[in-house]
Amino acid sequence: MAQEQGGRDQEQGAGARLARLLRRWWEEAGSASGGTRPTQQALAARLGVDQATLSRYLNPKRTSTAPLRVVEALHAQLRAPAAELDRARALCRAALRENSGRRTVGGGGEPTAATDVTDGSGEPAGRREPAGSRATADPADPAAPHGPAGGHGSGAGRPRFRWHLHVLVWAAVVVAFAAGVLVHERFAVQDRKAATADVAAGGEGAVAASEVPHQWPLLVMGEQDQFTRARALQNLLNAHGYEVRADGFFGEDTRDAVMAFQRKRGLAPDGKVGKHTWPELVKEVKPGSGTFEVRAAQELLNNVGQGGTVVSGEFTAVTAEDLRFFQSTQDLPVTGRVDVDTWLALLVAQLPPAGAPAYQRPDSPPPSGSAPASA
């Protein structure tokens, strides 16, 4: 039975094997300790993903590769054997590489009927030439019959040449595409560096914005809890030296700090945070960055549905790994740092809140003095 299972694992891809391993963890959860196995709905809530997505992660026949953070979270939540975590990580990375390879290649020509049949030699029958046929084939007679060595010749030389020509054309296209991608990335990096130098005079900590297909969210003063986006705003204000409480409520104290920041940066002091204020407010987050800007980035990253990020205010290796995965899903340069484009993608990707963060007070009534924003 073990040999049969091993054979199936070798025949299937890493994604199917990872899904089978994760499903076994879930099915066996609670059996060793005598506890109760969690439902998929409850487990999905703990992981910060929806139930349909988790179901796909656990279904080998309908493979949807779980991110590395979800795999590690499942291992911890289901108390799976410690020895199997490294195997699950390796399968996850292999599955992501397979998926990336399938998206990059996309196909290399349609097989013909001759390429699907072999005659026992291990080479497709439609592609193999009889011995001596190349020397005896009559190139002026395309209808010449196939024959053995020394016979009337064969027309297999021309189809074989055409097949090789198709392969060479496809190889040239792939090489040209890869070269174009490398050149594009190099010039894009140079453009971003030049833009960053141009805005250096705009204030310490400011980062350059590039053209991206998203719109900055607009935050204005109001009584309602504006959750992670408002807390990110408040943490960034603290990073610039303005003392405001990061509670998610955009009240008068937050508005006053925004207006003071806008006046300092030469912006219209309207107290609203949108496409002009966000690019000036965000800071690049990397190893060694300050607590407030790191906490703002971590809290946004924790609420994008990829398995959860620890909100500690300290830029760790896990934070960088989570950032790289998020950037890869958003077609951003995978740097492991939070630049202006990553800030924008994080703000746009925010999900409905699942609960208040651990560092926030348990009760969060609107601060006194809050009032709806005026036009």
Side-chain angles (χ1 to χ4, degrees):
M1 187 68 180
Q3 294 179 352
E4 182 182 351
Q5 177 68 31
R8 284 200 302 267
D9 286 347
Q10 291 179 357
E11 292 175 1
Q12 294 182 344
R17 284 182 280 163
L18 175 63
R20 185 181 297 108
L21 178 61
L22 299 182
R23 186 169 188 85
R24 179 167 60 79
W25 288 354
W26 175 66
E27 290 176 345
E28 294 177 357
S31 59
S33 60
T36 303
R37 181 179 68 189
T39 64
Q40 289 190 14
Q41 182 178 6
L43 188 57
R46 297 179 198 170
L47 298 176
V49 300
D50 58 80
Q51 184 179 355
T53 301
L54 178 61
S55 178
R56 288 194 296 272
Y57 292 162
L58 303 180
N59 188 350
K61 296 181 180 179
R62 191 178 178 183
T63 305
S64 179
T65 303
L68 183 59
R69 293 296 300 153
V70 174
V71 171
E72 293 174 346
L74 277 171
H75 183 272
Q77 290 288 339
L78 299 175
R79 299 182 181 179
E84 294 185 353
L85 180 56
D86 288 339
R87 180 189 171 204
R89 287 170 173 162
L91 287 174
C92 179
R93 295 187 181 101
L96 291 175
R97 284 194 297 270
E98 288 178 0
N99 295 343
S100 176
R102 282 194 292 268
R103 288 194 297 268
T104 301
V105 176
E110 297 182 1
T112 62
T115 63
D116 295 333
V117 181
T118 60
D119 57 2
S121 65
E123 182 180 0
R127 296 182 185 175
R128 194 161 52 88
E129 285 187 85
S133 63
R134 186 169 298 185
T136 59
D138 183 0
D141 183 11
H146 296 267
H152 295 290
S154 169
R158 187 172 299 173
R160 183 182 181 90
F161 172 76
R162 289 174 181 168
W163 177 78
H164 286 164
L165 181 61
H166 289 319
V167 172
L168 290 174
V169 170
W170 272 106
V173 170
V174 171
V175 170
F177 177 78
V181 170
L182 290 175
V183 172
H184 173 76
E185 286 297 326
R186 176 166 295 184
F187 280 104
V189 170
Q190 293 175 353
D191 291 343
R192 282 193 293 273
K193 288 182 179 178
T196 302
D198 291 340
V199 300
E204 183 180 358
V207 288
S210 63
E211 294 297 330
V212 290
H214 293 308
Q215 296 293 328
W216 291 97
L218 177 64
L219 299 186
V220 297
M221 186 175 70
E223 294 183 354
Q224 72 278 10
D225 190 344
Q226 299 187 44
F227 306 109
T228 52
R229 290 187 179 123
R231 288 197 293 269
L233 163 64
Q234 291 160 335
N235 276 310
L236 287 170
L237 286 170
N238 278 287
H240 284 278
Y242 301 92
E243 297 183 2
V244 293
R245 185 168 193 162
D247 57 6
F249 290 96
F250 195 142
E252 291 183 354
D253 55 343
T254 301
R255 182 202 59 188
D256 293 343
V258 169
M259 293 175 67
F261 175 81
Q262 290 170 329
R263 281 191 290 266
K264 184 177 180 181
R265 292 303 174 94
L267 302 172
D270 56 5
K272 301 176 182 180
V273 183
K275 62 181 180 180
H276 300 298
T277 303
W278 278 117
E280 293 289 328
L281 187 63
V282 298
K283 290 188 171 188
E284 184 180 17
V285 177
K286 57 187 178 180
S289 294
T291 300
F292 289 111
E293 57 262 40
V294 172
R295 177 177 290 171
Q298 287 173 331
E299 187 165 352
L300 293 174
L301 191 59
N302 184 51
N303 195 44
V304 295
Q306 68 179 35
T309 298
V310 176
V311 182
S312 63
E314 179 182 357
F315 193 98
T316 64
V318 175
T319 303
E321 180 183 349
D322 289 350
L323 277 170
R324 284 191 288 269
F325 180 80
F326 175 77
Q327 288 168 330
S328 69
T329 64
Q330 300 292 316
D331 294 327
L332 295 170
V334 181
T335 62
R337 301 184 176 193
V338 188
D339 57 8
V340 67
D341 290 341
T342 305
W343 276 112
L344 174 54
L346 285 169
L347 287 165
V348 171
Q350 290 304 289
L351 298 173
Y359 64 83
Q360 187 181 351
R361 66 171 184 255
D363 54 332
S364 300
S368 58
S370 296
S374 61

